[in-house]
Amino acid sequence: MFARLGRVVVHHPWKVIGLWVIAIVAVLSTAPALTATTDQSAFLPSHYESIQAMKLQEQAFPQSAAPAALIVAVRADGGPLSDTDSATVSAAAAALTERNIKGVTGIQVTPPSENRLVQVIAVQMAKPTDASDKTQGEAVRSLREHLKEQIGDTGLKAGVTGTAAQTLDQTEQGEKGMAIIGIATIVLILVLLLVIFRSPVIALLPVLTIGAISSTVGGLIAMAAKAFDLEIDTSVNSILLVVLFGVGTDYILFLMFRYRERLRAGDDPKAAMVNAVARVGEAVTSAAAAVIIAFMALTLSSLGMFRALGPALAIAVAVALLAGLTLVPAIVSLLGTKVFWPSKAWQIEPRGARFGAIGAAMGRRPGVFAVASGGVLVALGVFAFGFNPTFDMTSGSSTDTSESVAFTTELLKGMPAGATQPSDVLVRAESPLTDDQLATYRTALTGVDGVGQVGQPQLSADRMIAHLPVTLAHAPESDAALDTVAGPLRERAHQAAPAGATAAVGGLTAVFVDFEDAMNHDYRIVFPVAAVLIMLVLALLLRSLVAPWYLMASVFLGFAATLGATVLVFQQLQGEHGLIFTLPVIMYLFVVALGTDYNILMVARLREESRAGHTPREAAALAVRHTGPTIAAAGLILAGTFASMMLAGNSSLSQMGFAISVGIAIAAFVMALFFTPAVTALLGRRAWWPGHGGDDAEGRWAEYSYAESHYTPPTARSRR
C-alpha cells in the first residue's frame, strides 16, 4: 500500500501539491473561527453539584453573580485608611460610574475592611456572550486607565483584580508566551536540522510545509468543535503549535533519513523516495495511529476540556502524517538531491561509530543495558508518589508583577483569602423560607471550619430559593479551600438545610472539587482503554502478541519516571506546593503516545533486521546503529520544541514544557535506544510470537526501480 502511495506521489508531484493547495483554500474559506473558553465550569457535566448550583443561581438570581472585577484600594505607605481616604475611594467609584464604561453594569463601594487596610469597589459586568466576546477585557482596560486619573497623588494606590482582570492578564501573558514558543520552536528546528543535514533546504522544509498546513489544522479543529459542540480550552493553542511542528518535523525526519539511506544504497532519487515511503510508511503510520488513538481516547473523558483536546490534537497529528507521506515526498521528488544542497555528505556512508559502538555493546550484554535503563526509570518513578495536584492556575498563568496578582496580594491584607471568588450556597425549599430558618442556617454555615464569613441571604421573589455567599478563609484554589468545600462545608450545607429543603454548594472552589472527582474517574477509564487500543496497534504492526506487552510496560515506566522527575525538580528542589492538576493527562498525551512512536520505530527496524536473517542480538546491534541517529535527532527536536514552553514566563507552561520535554527525552534516549532493544534481544525470537519475525524469506524487501516502473524482488535482481 505504501509503495503504491509512493509511486503515485513521485509520478505526479504537481498534482499532489495542487490537491493540497485546493484543500487548504477550501478549508480556510469554509471553516468557522476557532474560539476558546477560560470558563472552567463549561467543561463539567451537568450532574455535578457545582453545575447544579450555578444553574439554580442563574435561574433565580440572574443579577447576583459575584463581581467580575474588584478594585482594591490601599494606602501607598501601607497604613490604615482614613475617613478622607475612604471618601476618595467613594469619589473614584462615582467618577467611574459616570464614565459609562461599556460592559460595566454596576459599581458599588464596600466599607473598608475591619483593620482598615483595604477598601474594595465591586464591579459587575455583563456576562460574555461567547468565547470570542472581549467586552470584559476591554472594560478592565478602561477601568485601569481611568482609575489612575482618579487616584493620582492622593497617597493611595489602587488596581483591578478579580475574575475578569485575571483572565485579561492571563490572556496577555499567554499571547506573549505563544510568540516566544513559536519563535523558539522554529529557530530550534532550523538550527538542529542545519546541524544534522548541513542543508538550509532541508532545514526550511518542515518549517514551510508545516507552516502552510497549520491554518488548515486550525480550520479542521474549528469545524469539529462546531459540529460536535466541543468546548476548546485556551491552552489548546500553545499545545497545538508545538505538537504540529514537533510531530510533523519528526515524521519528515524519519522519511528523510530513510531517503538518504536509499540514495547511499544506490537508488536513483525518485526510486529512493518511493522506497523510503514504502519502508518508513508502515512504521510512521502505525506510530501516528498509536498517537491518534491515545488522543481520541480522551473523548471518553467526563471533562469537556479533554474531550475537545483529544480530537483537536488527533486532527493535528493526522494532517501532519498525511503531509509527511504525500506533500513532502512530492516536493522532495521535484528537488531530487538538491534538497541536500550545498552539503555532499549525503553521498558518503558514515561509519556510525558512536551508535555502532553502543549497538555492539548492547548485542554483547543486553541484560546489563536492560537492567541499567530500567533501573533509571524505576528510580525516577519513585518520586511520582509525591505528586500533589494544585488548582492554583491564577498565579501559574500570570507573572507575579501583573496587576491582578499584585492586588490580590494587597486584598489579602484586609479580607479573607477567598474574597476574590466567594463560594455559593443555594437552598431550594418546597415552601417559603422564613427569616428564622435562614438565620439559623447562616449560623450553621458560619461555624464550619475554614469558612471566613457568610453573607446575608438573598431570596427569590417567591422565597422558595435562597442564595448565601460564603467567603472561605483560604484562597479559592488552595488545597485547604478544596478540602473545606469537599468536606465540612458541603456536609453542613446538606445536613443543616431547613426541613424539606435541599442545598447545593457552587462557586469556583466547588468546580475544582468536582474537577478533581471527574479526573479521578477519567484516570480509571481513559488510561486503560488507550493502553489496550495502542497494544492492538502494536500487535497488528509487529504481528506479535508478546512485544506489545513489554513495549507498553516500558512506556508506562517512562510515564512514571517523567512524573517523578517533574516532582523532584519543581516540588522537591524548587519548593513549589504542587504541580498543575492537568499534568498527568497532558503527560499521558505526549509521553505515552509519543513515547510509543519511538518504540515503534525501533522495533520496526528490529523486526526488519531479524527478518533479514540476523540473530536477535545482531538485530539489536544493527537496529541501534541504523535507527539510533534517527531517534536521537527526532527526540532532540521534539523535546526541544516542548522545552520552548518553559520560556513563556509562567509556572504552568514551565511545568508542562519541562515534563513533556523530559518525558520525550526519556522515551527516546532511555526507552527506545536502550531498554526496548535490550529486552527484545533478551527475549530473542520469542518477542515475535506467534509471528515469524526471524524468517529470512518472509521479510525480504521488494525494492522499486523508477526506470522500470515496477517492483523487482531482490532475488530476481541478483540473477540479472
Side-chain angles (χ1 to χ4, degrees):
M1 181 179 74
F2 293 103
R4 191 177 301 113
L5 174 65
R7 290 203 306 276
V8 170
V9 170
V10 169
H11 276 297
H12 309 285
W14 286 113
K15 290 182 180 179
V16 172
I17 295 171
L19 287 173
W20 270 98
V21 172
I22 293 171
I24 291 171
V25 172
V27 171
L28 292 181
S29 61
T30 58
L34 179 62
T35 57
T37 180
T38 58
D39 182 5
Q40 300 299 326
S41 65
F43 303 124
L44 276 171
S46 59
H47 68 269
Y48 279 101
E49 183 175 334
S50 60
I51 305 303
Q52 293 174 353
M54 181 187 69
K55 290 182 176 179
L56 184 59
Q57 183 176 358
E58 290 176 348
Q59 171 193 334
F61 311 101
Q63 303 301 323
S64 70
L70 298 175
I71 298 175
V72 180
V74 298
R75 282 195 59 82
D77 59 11
L81 295 166
S82 64
D83 291 341
T84 302
D85 295 329
S86 185
T88 301
V89 173
S90 297
L96 290 173
T97 302
E98 292 176 359
R99 294 280 185 176
N100 292 320
I101 297 172
K102 182 181 178 181
V104 174
T105 58
I107 296 178
Q108 182 180 5
V109 182
T110 64
S113 61
E114 290 185 11
N115 60 11
R116 297 193 68 85
L117 292 179
V118 176
Q119 187 165 8
V120 173
I121 303 173
V123 182
Q124 297 284 353
M125 294 183 181
K127 192 172 182 180
T129 56
D130 55 57
S132 62
D133 187 351
K134 307 297 183 185
T135 304
Q136 286 195 350
E138 294 301 325
V140 170
R141 288 193 179 97
S142 296
L143 286 170
R144 286 173 172 172
E145 180 183 346
H146 297 313
L147 186 62
K148 291 178 183 177
E149 300 173 5
Q150 300 303 318
I151 297 300
D153 299 325
T154 61
L156 301 176
K157 63 177 182 178
V160 185
T161 183
T163 307
Q166 291 167 353
T167 300
L168 174 64
D169 290 343
Q170 291 169 20
T171 301
E172 291 179 345
Q173 183 68 25
E175 289 172 352
K176 293 178 183 177
M178 279 289 294
I180 294 172
I181 290 171
I183 293 170
T185 297
I186 292 173
V187 169
L188 180 70
I189 290 173
L190 288 173
V191 170
L192 290 178
L193 289 180
L194 277 172
V195 171
I196 294 168
F197 288 99
R198 303 171 192 174
S199 166
V201 181
I202 290 185
L204 288 170
L205 184 63
V207 174
L208 295 178
T209 54
I210 296 170
I213 66 173
S214 60
S215 56
T216 306
V217 171
L220 291 172
I221 293 172
M223 289 178 176
K226 183 177 180 180
F228 299 101
D229 194 25
L230 301 176
E231 293 283 354
I232 303 292
D233 182 54
T234 51
S235 63
V236 167
N237 289 329
S238 56
I239 297 174
L240 185 64
L241 179 70
V242 289
V243 166
L244 196 55
F245 275 95
V247 173
T249 302
D250 265 10
Y251 294 159
I252 293 172
L253 200 62
F254 297 158
L255 180 73
M256 294 308 297
F257 265 102
R258 188 55 75 105
Y259 176 61
R260 188 175 65 178
E261 183 180 326
R262 294 312 309 160
L263 287 173
R264 288 169 174 168
D267 288 355
D268 64 80
K270 292 188 179 293
M273 180 51 69
V274 174
N275 285 321
V277 172
R279 292 196 175 203
V280 86
E282 184 180 22
V284 170
T285 302
S286 299
V291 176
I292 291 170
I293 284 172
F295 288 168
M296 289 301 294
L298 284 179
T299 57
L300 300 174
S301 171
S302 57
L303 293 171
M305 63 185 298
F306 295 133
R307 284 202 306 274
L309 181 62
L313 298 180
I315 289 170
V317 172
V319 175
L321 172 68
L322 188 60
L325 293 180
T326 58
L327 181 59
V328 174
I331 294 172
V332 174
S333 67
L334 291 173
L335 294 173
T337 57
K338 294 185 183 69
V339 75
F340 298 106
W341 180 88
S343 174
K344 301 293 185 182
W346 64 270
Q347 300 173 344
I348 306 168
E349 180 71 36
R351 289 179 297 172
R354 186 176 295 107
F355 287 98
I358 293 173
M362 181 180 296
R364 290 192 298 270
R365 296 183 176 179
V368 173
F369 279 80
V371 171
S373 55
V376 170
L377 298 176
V378 171
L380 287 174
V382 170
F383 291 97
F385 291 102
F387 170 65
N388 180 50
T390 178
F391 289 81
D392 184 1
M393 302 298 287
T394 301
S395 61
S397 300
S398 304
T399 61
D400 293 338
T401 57
S402 66
E403 187 169 317
S404 61
V405 173
F407 279 89
T408 295
T409 303
E410 295 289 348
L411 179 67
L412 299 182
K413 293 178 180 178
M415 300 285 185
T420 55
Q421 289 285 350
S423 293
D424 303 297
V425 176
L426 280 298
V427 180
R428 182 198 289 271
E430 297 178 355
S431 58
L433 292 162
T434 66
D435 292 339
D436 288 342
Q437 286 177 315
L438 292 174
T440 302
Y441 189 60
R442 183 187 178 202
T443 301
L445 295 179
T446 304
V448 173
D449 187 29
V451 169
Q453 60 188 35
V454 180
Q456 290 292 337
Q458 181 182 8
L459 281 165
S460 61
D462 58 4
R463 299 184 68 90
M464 305 284 279
I465 301 174
H467 167 230
L468 291 88
V470 177
T471 302
L472 302 174
H474 305 281
E477 65 282 343
S478 65
D479 289 346
L482 266 67
D483 290 341
T484 297
V485 170
L489 180 57
R490 277 186 169 169
E491 183 178 341
R492 183 71 59 85
H494 297 160
Q495 293 178 352
T502 57
V505 180
L508 183 66
T509 306
V511 168
F512 286 151
V513 169
D514 293 338
F515 245 97
E516 194 166 26
D517 180 73
M519 289 189 66
N520 290 332
H521 167 270
D522 290 349
Y523 293 154
R524 296 190 296 269
I525 301 295
V526 176
F527 285 12
V529 169
V532 170
L533 293 176
I534 292 174
M535 287 181 68
L536 288 175
V537 171
L538 292 171
L540 291 172
L541 169 69
L542 303 174
R543 286 77 166 175
S544 167
L545 296 179
V546 176
W549 286 98
Y550 68 83
L551 291 178
M552 287 306 298
S554 73
V555 168
F556 280 105
L557 273 177
F559 176 89
T562 303
L563 183 58
T566 310
V567 169
L568 175 63
V569 170
F570 286 93
Q571 290 185 211
Q572 303 295 330
L573 299 181
Q574 294 189 11
E576 295 192 13
H577 177 64
L579 304 175
I580 54 173
F581 69 99
T582 55
L583 193 61
V585 175
I586 298 297
M587 284 173 45
Y588 150 80
L589 284 172
F590 298 108
V591 178
V592 173
L594 298 181
T596 306
D597 255 16
Y598 299 128
N599 267 342
I600 286 176
L601 195 67
M602 176 59 75
V603 175
R605 188 65 185 238
L606 279 164
R607 187 187 64 169
E608 183 179 332
E609 298 295 346
S610 182
R611 284 179 167 184
H614 299 290
T615 66
R617 297 194 177 199
E618 290 172 347
L622 290 169
V624 170
R625 176 181 177 180
H626 292 296
T627 309
T630 308
I631 290 176
L636 188 61
I637 288 175
L638 194 58
T641 56
F642 280 104
S644 67
M645 296 173 71
M646 299 174 66
L647 303 174
N650 67 68
S651 62
S652 295
L653 285 179
S654 292
Q655 291 177 13
M656 196 181 301
F658 176 86
I660 298 172
S661 59
V662 167
I664 289 170
I666 288 173
F669 295 100
V670 179
M671 293 191 302
L673 279 181
F674 296 115
F675 188 77
T676 296
V679 172
T680 304
L682 286 173
L683 289 174
R685 302 190 189 281
R686 291 187 296 272
W688 313 115
W689 185 88
H692 305 283
D695 287 358
D696 178 53
E698 181 187 343
R700 290 188 185 275
W701 281 96
E703 294 180 3
Y704 179 74
S705 168
Y706 186 77
E708 299 170 356
S709 298
H710 65 276
Y711 276 93
T712 306
T715 51
R717 291 196 318 144
S718 64
R719 288 195 298 267
R720 284 207 298 259

